[in-house]
Every structure is written in structure tokens, then in C-alpha cells.
């Protein structure tokens, strides 16, 4: 066997299966950026596992030439927990959607994130149920008219990043399917992070919810409606980069630069802040409330990882009691002998 | 303060030799009856008796003190003969309060020894138990040999001077009761003194108080005129070797650890706490030095899914639960089945349906584990027959799982999970190896086929990290051989047949069913799981009476042993006693068109030998 790792290309990560998403679906771009990004990690394909639940996004593992499990609805984070607990050497990706991850699988997502296993969770948010043909999802806005809500949705929507932060996530980021450079960079950051990386990707379902994220994509409006987060930099946005976010007490507000307001008055992004309050505040900035929606890395901190801790306990037990000896175990406690 | 662990000498009173005895300690759930029962068990085992135990505790952790709902009991049967059950009825009952008396008296033999803590029979205590008149004062207990012992007073007296509060002193009453029982049955107190030393050594005053209470109980028996004689139960003729007292859940846990060693891979246990299965988790989590990794998942579904993830990754992956949890795991068990990965699912059955009777035993999840998933989803099912047998069944489950690449269900129950019996300690070096093969990287130009099959129809267990074997599995129907998603109608039929046939093939790989008793005759008693002891004892009794009856006990419930149909045909009638409403009987009737007769009970209690004997006699006519 050669000792030098072969240099892999994006195409090496594609499986021989035909991709079956609808033409024009945002999932294609996420798949492409993943394949483009992975070679840069230098991890051999056999050391990578993709795990998904059910839904359009969950077909993802079939298209990757890695190990993969297309599991059951909402449960991918739980499978990943078991897998990573016994095989910390593997790079594990969980692919989920807004229905899979936040509705039927909400409990598993919450607990995977709080355990902070060294896994990467990518949530494709298209704000609709695609595979079941167009019912509203937990991220659909109030009033959304769909097949199952002909008079409009009356459930308050969930915000994936707010939930992840509430679950003590150590890495939280957002990107957009069509921002291919940004998406690739974000996936790379997620892959590099040690601990659970949670990434929300705004993904267009051109069949059942076309244009849901158009305000973040349209050439004319995207600079006004999104704000790119950079660690240590002030929050500036706008076509002319003339607007910013300032803190007014505990509330963010949009301000125009100039007229006595300088960059120094703005909120500076700190993805390493030990308290998650800032990241949470950013996750609450919604387009409908007149804010640009942040993209990039909201939070990236170092915290103990479940898989590490579990294996440390095993090592500690071995160091203390020695490698398990069955005969010693069987004869422990009170015994008696019959001759 | 003395820390002696030297036991009491032999009694100087007259000793009557018994073949065996069944004793139940009953009290409030805070009275430490489970601990007392466990000690009596361990001590009886150490004098060489054969033993069987039956703990019986309430579902509430602390029901209101002194109420009927809060009564906790522990029954020990010890004998100089080979025994299989904790005993139908009691030779002696220790009742720590009126509630314990009321709920347990019906099980005491006529003339049996009834030892009560008379200090606990105040007006208030009696009211809580629903007694209008104190039963110690009227003639309602005339049919028993009643011993009224002021245990509270005597215990407080024994621990006086140690500076304990009244509450702390009263906590030693169970040791007083133990001491008295030890005297009555000639048990050595030294194992319990050693236990006190190891358990309470860190709190010398508590240790000393318990020691004093134990000795005071023993001395009370020896000195009071109320007890004129005590009993002796000789050692049983067990096969030579070293023994320990083994509970079912512990045996399952140790069997899993042993199976992991025998196959040289790491054990992963992903689970969610549920009565009566949680003790498996508690036990396994103590053995991390064997490479055991335990995960307490967020729910039952997640627990099953962690197991699937760990199995895919190459671990010996196991989950344990009870009926309600298994219901939640159903979908994931279906995924596990179609993925064709080895793993173990343990169901320690309890009374159902729904939350049912969490702390009581039942066998009503047989259909659930055989059929309880969507689609055609066969899984092998095997059941232990006794606490010690759980060890062997755990190993056998893993052998089958790896040879056939399938999840295997172990169907235990609350009765064997918490019951105990002497366990002949095996030599770990003689346990058979379980061969587990993971394919290595393919030769140049060779394409890996994840659903190619061997002669048993098992597919390869290719694990992540192996170069060239990257493949994707999932819950959508697979194309045979390639493992790619397939909606082809003929392929679905083919794969359904293959998965069923694979499970059927297990029958070629397990021992033929054996029969105890005549090869043919009037009646065959067919049983499974935790009712083994009662059925064996009942059939032996009937055989001694000259009845033409044989017994066969199933370990393999899916698939059935190959020769089962032929065995059933050799008897005029087949009787199937079960702690459910006739689930195995339905399967037997469906599969073999045999008009099997049921004997069924769901009362949260095991069968008594007596009721089985009567049913056998009636059936033969
Ligand atoms: S239904 Fe929507 S999300 Fe699903 S594949 Fe088609 S476009 Fe994509």
C-alpha cells in the first residue's frame, strides 16, 4: 500500500447513483459545494459517514461515495450519536431538513446538539414539506397557505439557529444554497470545528415553495437583506455598505453610518463569546422585522465533546481497574464452592 | 467499637431438619425488605442450599407510609433439593406492619410461622391498612403460629448509646428481623456482617447499629421462650463448582460483556430507563474497563437508533427496554431489520397494556416482538428460562445476530429479571469464541456488493474505515446484491422472501427441541420463558403421580426448532400455560394446526406449581 494519500477531487466524492431531486432544486448546489469542499479536509472517503432521516434532503447520502445511512424520519442525530460514540475516528455528517430535524426529530436534534459530539449537522431549510408534496413545515411563516393550511398556517414558526443556540450549540452558522463560495466556506468551517456544528442552509424548493428566500438572493436586494458575519468586525451591510447594526440597550437597531455614527458605534461580531446571548440576538434578526438576516458563523466555541468524554471514561476505568478480566468479574462478590 | 464479622454460634435449642423453606419478608417500601431478602438469599446460597427468589415491589417509589399500596416483599425459597421456583406458598411470613400482614397473609400456609412487629400495630397503623380491629387481638390469626415481637422497641434498645436518632434507630429494624430469621433457619450471620462492614464501613456508627440489631434479632430467637425450636436446611447436591447468587438482569449484562469478549469487539449499550430493564444499564455502566460504552439516550426511539448507528460502525450494539419502550422502538427495529445488521434488542416484559403493571411480571409481549413492526419484518426471538439462563441467552443472541446478520430479540420478563438463583460460575477461558468477520478492502477492479449473501443468506458486515467498501444502506427497499434503492416489484418479493428465509435458516443452526419425560403420551406441556420453573416442577410432580405427561420448554420462539411439529404430534393433547391470554398457543395453532389448549393468567404474578398441577390433572382427565 502506498503511504501517500491520493489527492481526491470533487468528482471522487460522487456515487454512481442518479441524483433524483427536481431540476432546479437548491439541494444540487449544497451537494456540489460539499463535494467541492471535502477534498480540502484530507479525510479519506472511507472515513466519512453521511447519515440522514427522511425528506428530500435526506437522499443526500446516496449521492456521496462515502459510507452512508438513509435512516428513518427525524432520527439521524440519534444514529450519529451511536456511531460517533464508538468510532470517534470517523467524520460524521447529519443531513436533515426543517421537517425532519425540527418537527418529528426535534428531540433528537436538541439532544445531539447539547451533547456536543464531534459531528456536523446540516439543516436544509426550505420552509415546506417537499417529499410529501407541499404541507407547511415548522419554519413556514404564519399565514402560509399550503395544501394542509388552505386558510393559512397558525403555528408560530421556529427559528433553527435560535433553537440550536438554546441547546448550547458550540458551532452555529447559516448560509444560502446559491451563495456557493459562502456555502463552501461555511461547510469547511463546520467540518473543521471540533464539536457539534449546526449549519442552517436557506434552500429553495422550486416546486412547492419557490422564492421563499428570494429576498436573500436577488441581486438587487440581497445586500440590503443579508449581513455577512465576520469575527471581530463591525456589523455593516447595504448595497453601499452604509448601514450597520447598533445595540440599543438589549435590542439591535439598524443605523445609517455617517451623521455622527461611526463604525465604532456598531456591534462587533464575536463568534467566540463565551455567553451565547449575542449569537442568540443575531439569530432573532428577521427580514420581516426590518433586519438584514445574518449569514456566516454565529458562534464557534470550544467545549467538551461527548465522544471524547465517553472514551476518556473508558480509558480511565481501564487505567484504574485494569483491562476487563471476565474470571475476576464472575468471581466478584459473595461466592461459595460446592465440592 | 468492634468490627467483628464473626457470626453467631449454633443454636442450643432443638433443631428440626427441613427439606426446604419458603420465607417472605414484607414491610413498607421504606423498611428495607429488598435488602433483607437479598441478604437472606446470599446467606442461604452460601450454606449450599439451592435457592430461588421473587422480589415484589410496588410501582410507587414511596407510597404513603403504612398503606397497602406501599408494601414491598421479598420471597426466598431455599432447599436441600434441586428447586425451580421461589415457592407457591409461605412457610414463614415476616410482617413489619399491618399493611404487610393484610396483603401477604393469604399466601401463608395453614400453621405457618407468622412473625409480626407488634409495635407497628397502633390504631393509626391499623387504620392505614384498613383494619377496624387489631388482628393480633382477635382470633383471626388462629390458624397460624403467631409470634408477636416488639421489634421497634427491641431494635431501639439494641442500638442505644450509639447516639442515633429514633429515625435512624428504626432504620435498623430490618437487620433485627434478619437476625431473627437467621436464628430460626440456622443461617450463619457472618456473610451479612461482612456485608455491613463493606456497605456501611464508612459510617462506623451506622455499621455498628446494624450489627447490633442483627445480633439482637438472633439473640432474641435464642433466648425467648416463644421459640422452642429452630430449623435446619441441609445443603443441596448441586454440581461441584463455585457459585454465586445471580439475578436475571445481572446475568444478561454479564452475558453481553462475555459475548463481546468472545467476539473480540466493543460492547455498546444504548438505552432509556424503564422498569424492569434499567438494572441492565446500571450493571453495564459499571464495566467500562471492559470497553463497554453506555449511552442513556433522550428517549426509547433514540436509544434504538444509537444502536443502529453503533452496529453500522462495527460494534456489538445492544438496547434494552420493556413493552412500552419496545412499542416506541418498533419503527427503528424495522430499519434495523432491513439494514440486516447484527444487534440485540432486549425486552424485559412487564404487565401491559400501556403503562400496565410496571413492577409485575407478564409474558404478553410475544406477539409484539415477533410481529410488532410495519411490513413483513421477521426477527429472531429467544427467551431465557431462569435468572442464570439469561447469561447463556445473551451469548446465544449475539452468536445468531452475527452469523445471520440480523437483530435478535431477547424476551425476558420481570420475574426472572429480578429473581435470583445459584449460578455455577463458568471458566471464562472455556467460553466458545464467536467469530465476527468484517470484509477487508476489495481486490483491484472488484466491486463491493453489500447485499451479496453467503450460504446462510447473511450479507457482509462491512464497516466504515475500510477502504473501497463505501456503501449506503437505508430503509428503502434494497436491490439484492448491489444494495441500491429498488422499487422493482419482483425484487421486493424476492427480498421479502430472502429476509424471511434467512430467519428461518436459524432453525438449522440451533439445537433440536428436547422433551423431559416420555416420548409420547397423554399430554405435552409446552412452555416458554420465565414459567420454566413452575412448569418443570408441576410436570415432575404429575409424573410422580403416574400421569402420562411430558414437558418441553422453548428457548427459540422465532423460528421454532425444526422438530417441534413432530414432537407436538406424539402427544394426545398439548397444554400451553402462559402469563398472557394465549399468544404462543395462537402461534402453535397457526403454524402446526395443532388444537393446543391454553392455561392463561395475567395477574402480575407467576404461576404457582399447585395451579399447574391441577390444570394438568384436569386436562388429562
Ligand atoms: S420537492 Fe422541492 S425540495 Fe424536494 S427535490 Fe423537489 S424542489 Fe427539491
Amino acid at each position: 500500500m502506498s503511504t501517500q494519500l491520493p489527492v481526491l477531487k470533487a468528482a471522487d466524492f460522487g456515487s454512481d447513483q442518479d441524483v433524483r431531486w427536481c431540476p432546479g432544486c437548491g439541494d444540487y448546489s449544497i451537494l456540489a459545494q460539499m463535494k467541492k469542499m471535502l477534498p480540502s479536509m484530507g479525510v479519506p472517503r472511507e472515513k466519512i459517514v453521511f447519515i440522514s432521516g427522511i425528506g428530500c434532503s435526506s437522499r443526500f447520502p446516496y449521492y456521496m461515495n462515502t459510507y452512508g445511512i438513509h435512516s428513518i424520519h427525524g432520527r439521524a442525530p440519534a444514529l450519529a450519536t451511536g456511531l460517533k460514540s464508538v468510532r470517534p475516528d470517523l467524520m460524521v455528517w447529519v443531513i436533515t431538513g426543517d421537517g425532519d430535524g425540527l418537527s418529528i426529530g426535534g428531540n433528537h436534534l436538541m439532544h445531539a446538539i447539547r451533547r456536543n459530539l464531534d459531528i456536523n449537522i446540516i439543516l436544509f431549510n426550505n420552509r415546506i414539506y417537499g417529499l410529501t408534496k407541499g404541507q407547511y413545515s415548522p419554519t413556514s411563516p404564519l399565514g402560509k397557505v399550503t395544501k394542509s393550511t388552505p386558510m393559512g398556517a397558525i403555528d408560530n414558526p421556529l427559528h433553527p439557529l435560535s433553537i440550536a443556540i438554546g441547546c448550547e450549540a458550540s458551532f452555529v452558522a447559516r448560509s444560502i444554497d446559491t451563495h456557493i463560495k459562502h456555502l463552501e466556506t461555511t461547510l469547511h468551517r463546520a467540518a473543521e470545528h471540533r464539536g457539534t456544528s449546526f449549519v442552517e442552509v436557506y434552500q429553495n424548493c422550486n416546486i412547492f415553495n419557490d422564492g421563499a428566500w428570494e429576498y436573500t438572493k436577488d441581486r438587487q436586494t440581497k445586500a440590503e437583506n443579508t449581513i455577512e458575519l465576520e469575527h471581530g468586525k463591525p456589523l455593516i451591510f447595504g448595497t453601499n455598505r452604509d448601514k450597520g447594526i447598533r445595540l440599543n440597550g438589549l435590542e439591535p437597531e439598524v443605523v445609517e453610518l455617517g451623521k455622527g455614527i461611526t463604525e465604532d458605534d456598531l456591534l462587533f461580531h464575536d463568534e467566540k463569546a463565551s455567553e451565547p446571548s449575542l449569537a442568540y440576538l443575531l439569530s432573532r434578526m428577521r427580514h420581516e422585522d426590518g433586519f438584514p438576516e445574518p449569514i456566516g458563523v454565529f458562534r464557534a466555541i470550544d467545549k467538551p465533546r461527548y465522544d471524547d468524554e465517553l472514551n476518556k471514561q473508558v480509558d480511565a476505568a481501564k487505567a484504574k481497574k485494569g483491562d476487563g478480566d471476565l474470571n475476576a468479574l464472575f468471581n466478584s462478590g459473595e461466592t461459595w464452592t460446592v465440592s | 467499637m468492634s468490627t467483628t464479622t464473626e457470626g453467631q454460634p449454633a443454636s442450643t435449642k432443638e433443631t428440626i431438619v427441613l427439606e426446604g423453606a419458603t420465607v417472605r419478608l414484607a414491610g413498607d417500601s421504606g423498611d428495607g425488605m429488598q435488602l433483607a431478602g437479598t441478604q437472606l438469599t446470599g446467606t442461604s446460597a452460601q450454606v449450599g442450599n439451592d435457592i430461588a427468589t421473587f422480589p415484589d415491589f410496588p410501582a410507587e417509589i414511596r407510597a404513603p407510609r403504612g398503606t397497602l399500596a406501599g408494601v414491598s416483599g421479598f420471597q426466598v425459597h431455599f432447599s436441600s433439593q434441586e428447586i425451580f421456583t421461589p415457592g407457591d406458598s409461605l412457610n414463614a411470613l415476616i410482617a413489619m406492619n399491618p399493611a404487610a400482614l393484610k396483603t401477604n397473609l393469604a399466601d401463608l400456609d395453614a400453621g405457618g410461622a407468622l412473625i409480626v412487629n407488634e409495635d407497628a400495630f397502633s390504631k393509626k397503623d391499623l387504620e392505614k391498612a384498613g383494619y377496624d380491629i387489631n388482628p393480633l387481638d382477635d382470633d383471626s390469626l388462629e390458624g397460624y403460629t403467631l409470634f408477636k415481637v416488639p421489634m421497634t422497641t427491641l431494635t431501639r434498645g439494641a442500638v442505644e448509646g450509639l447516639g442515633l436518632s429514633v429515625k435512624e434507630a428504626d432504620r435498623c429494624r430490618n437487620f433485627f428481623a434478619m437476625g431473627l430469621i437467621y436464628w430460626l433457619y440456622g443461617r450463619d450471620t457472618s456473610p451479612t456482617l461482612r456485608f455491613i462492614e463493606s456497605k456501611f464501613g464508612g459510617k462506623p456508627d451506622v455499621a455498628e447499629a446494624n450489627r447490633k440489631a442483627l445480633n439482637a434479632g438472633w439473640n432474641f430467637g435464642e433466648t425467648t421462650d416463644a421459640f422452642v425450636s429452630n430449623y435446619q436446611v441441609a445443603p443441596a447436591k448441586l454440581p461441584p463448582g463455585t457459585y454465586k447468587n445471580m439475578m436475571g438482569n445481572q446475568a444478561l449484562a454479564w452475558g453481553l460483556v462475555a459475548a463481546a469478549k468472545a467476539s473480540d469487539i466493543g460492547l455498546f449499550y444504548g438505552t432509556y430507563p424503564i422498569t424492569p430493564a434499567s438494572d441492565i444499564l446500571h450493571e453495564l455502566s459499571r464495566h467500562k474497563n471492559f470497553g463497554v460504552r453506555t449511552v442513556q439516550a433522550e428517549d426509547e426511539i433514540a436509544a434504538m437508533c444509537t444502536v443502529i448507528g453503533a452496529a453500522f460502525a462495527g460494534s456489538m450494539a445492544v438496547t434494552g427496554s420493556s413493552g412500552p419502550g419496545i412499542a416506541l422502538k418498533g419503527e427503528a427495529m424495522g430499519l434495523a431489520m432491513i439494514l440486516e445488521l447484527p444487534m440485540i434488542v432486549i425486552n424485559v416484559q412487564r404487565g401491559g397494556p400501556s403503562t400496565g403493571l410496571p413492577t409485575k411480571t407478564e409474558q404478553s409481549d410475544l406477539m409484539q416482538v415477533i410481529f410488532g413492526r410495519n411490513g413483513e419484518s421477521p426477527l429472531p426471538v429467544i427467551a431465557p428460562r431462569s435468572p442464570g439462563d439469561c447469561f447463556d441467552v445473551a451469548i446465544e443472541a449475539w452468536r445468531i445476530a452475527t452469523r445471520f446478520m440480523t437483530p435478535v430479540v431477547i424476551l425476558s420478563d420481570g420475574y426472572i429479571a429480578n429473581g435470583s438463583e445459584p449460578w455455577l460460575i463458568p471458566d471464562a477461558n472455556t467460553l466458545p469464541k464467536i467469530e465476527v468477520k468484517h470484509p477487508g478492502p476489495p481486490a483491484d477492479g472488484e466491486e463491493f456488493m453489500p447485499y451479496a449473501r453467503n450460504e446462510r443468506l447473511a450479507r457482509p458486515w462491512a464497516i466504515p474505515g475500510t477502504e473501497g467498501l463505501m456503501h449506503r444502506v437505508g430503509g428503502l427497499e434494497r436491490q439484492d446484491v448491489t444494495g441500491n434503492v429498488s422499487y422493482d416489484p419482483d425484487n421486493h418479493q424476492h427480498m421479502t422472501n430472502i429476509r424471511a428465509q434467512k430467519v428461518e435458516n436459524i432453525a438449522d443452526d440451533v439445537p433440536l427441541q428436547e422433551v423431559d419425560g416420555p416420548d409420547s403420551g397423554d399430554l405435552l406441556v409446552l412452555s416458554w420463558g420465565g414459567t420454566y420453573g413452575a412448569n418443570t416442577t408441576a410436570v415432575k410432580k404429575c409424573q410422580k403421580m403416574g400421569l402420562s405427561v411430558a414437558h418441553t420448554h422453548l428457548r427459540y420462539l422465532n423460528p421454532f426448532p425444526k422438530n417441534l411439529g413432530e414432537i407436538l404430534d406424539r402427544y394426545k393433547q398439548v397444554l400451553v400455560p402462559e402469563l398472557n391470554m394465549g399468544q404462543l398457543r395462537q402461534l402453535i395453532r397457526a403454524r402446526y394446526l395443532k388444537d393446543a389448549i391454553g392455561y392463561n393468567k395475567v395477574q402480575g404474578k407467576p404461576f404457582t406449581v399447585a395451579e399447574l398441577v391441577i390444570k394438568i390433572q384436569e386436562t388429562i382427565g
Side-chain angles (χ1 to χ4, degrees), chain A residues 21-22 25-27 56 126 130-131 203-208:
Chain A
W21 289 310
C22 307
C25 175
D27 292 358
C56 291
N126 57 17
L131 194 65
Q203 175 243 324
N204 192 39
C205 168
N206 54 311
I207 301 297
F208 295 108

Side-chain angles (χ1 to χ4, degrees), chain B residues 298-326:
Chain B
E298 58 272 23
D299 61 29
E300 293 281 359
I301 299 170
M304 185 65 217
C305 289
T306 61
V307 163
I308 296 171
F312 184 72
S315 279
M316 174 184 170
V318 184
T319 188
S321 189
S322 189
I326 299 294

Side-chain angles (χ1 to χ4, degrees), chain A residues 191-202:
Chain A
E192 278 187 322
H193 176 73
R194 298 202 57 212
T196 300
S197 312
F198 183 82
V199 181
E200 175 190 23
V201 182
Y202 287 178

Side-chain angles (χ1 to χ4, degrees), chain A residues 1 15 17 45-46 49 59 61-62 64-72 75 78-79 82-83 85-87 90 107-108 111 115 306 310-311 313-314 317-318 321-327 329-338, chain B residues 45-46 194 238 240-245 254 261 268 286-290 293 295 298-299 301-302 305-306 308-309 312-313 315 331-332 391 425-429 463-467 469-476 478 484-485:
Chain A
M1 237 189 264
S15 76
Q17 298 298 294
R45 290 171 298 185
E46 63 271 14
V49 186
R59 295 299 175 93
Y62 289 131
M64 296 298 301
N65 189 13
T66 63
Y67 286 86
I69 311 176
H70 177 215
S71 78
I72 43 178
R75 319 299 175 204
L79 275 99
L83 190 140
S85 293
V86 297
R87 291 290 302 275
L90 301 174
N107 194 32
H108 310 306
H111 287 275
R115 289 189 190 103
Y306 186 92
L310 180 65
N311 289 293
Q313 286 192 347
V314 169
K318 284 183 177 171
K321 300 200 240 171
D323 256 338
D325 172 355
L326 279 180
N327 278 327
L329 174 68
F330 294 166
N331 288 282
S332 62
E334 299 274 359
T335 63
W336 70 97
T337 302
V338 173
Chain B
Q46 292 205 40
R194 283 199 297 273
L238 296 174
T242 304
Y243 286 81
K244 74 183 280 119
N245 180 39
W254 287 17
K261 272 257 178 190
F268 174 85
R286 296 173 49 223
H287 301 304
K288 294 200 166 69
N289 62 322
F290 282 86
R293 284 162 178 80
V295 167
E298 58 272 23
D299 61 29
I301 299 170
C305 289
T306 61
I308 296 171
F312 184 72
S315 279
E331 187 198 17
F391 179 85
I425 298 173
D427 177 356
N429 303 321
I463 60 171
T466 321
E467 213 181 306
L469 300 191
M470 287 83 72
H471 66 288
R472 276 68 55 193
V473 296
L476 289 168
R478 319 317 287 178
N484 291 329
V485 174

